[in-house]
Amino acid sequence: MERNVLLTIVVAALVTAVMRVGPILLLSRFRLAPLAQQWLSFIPAAIMAAIVTAELVEKPALTASGLSLSLLAALIAAVVGIITRGLFATVLAGMVAYTALRYFFGL
């Protein structure tokens, strides 16, 4: 049984590595058109927006009055991100804002 588990883990790791490295190795040999490069540059931001939106919609931290603490913290983080243009400051502001709001509202 232990051998099968180990074999399964190794095979899963190899499949995962090939799926992640394969496209990079294949696409590194081709020169993409500038329009395609520009279009692909938006994918990380779109994925991050989808993840954050899903979290805000599915698990909102609501106060007794119905105020969404998650949304308020996200707005604060967005404002800090626009002002500083820095990922570290944005993430830090969002975490501090969410923690402070939860403490202030007693959740």
Side-chain angles (χ1 to χ4, degrees):
M1 176 87 174
E2 289 180 24
R3 186 176 185 149
N4 289 340
V5 171
L6 183 61
L7 182 63
T8 303
I9 291 172
V10 169
V11 169
L14 288 173
V15 169
T16 301
V18 168
M19 287 176 58
R20 290 175 187 245
V21 174
I24 294 171
L25 291 176
L26 289 174
L27 290 176
S28 68
R29 299 181 188 269
F30 298 105
R31 181 109 175 120
L32 295 174
L35 181 63
Q37 287 179 347
Q38 183 181 8
W39 181 76
L40 289 172
S41 71
F42 291 109
I43 290 177
I47 290 171
M48 187 60 152
I51 291 170
V52 169
T53 303
E55 285 296 315
L56 290 175
V57 170
E58 287 181 18
K59 299 181 232 173
L62 299 175
T63 63
S65 63
L67 185 65
S68 174
L69 299 182
S70 304
L71 186 58
L72 280 175
L75 290 174
I76 292 169
V79 168
V80 170
I82 290 169
I83 292 170
T84 65
R85 300 279 185 199
L87 179 62
F88 180 74
T90 304
V91 171
L92 186 64
M95 290 182 348
V96 168
Y98 184 74
T99 304
L101 288 168
R102 283 187 62 110
Y103 179 77
F104 180 73
F105 285 102
L107 295 177

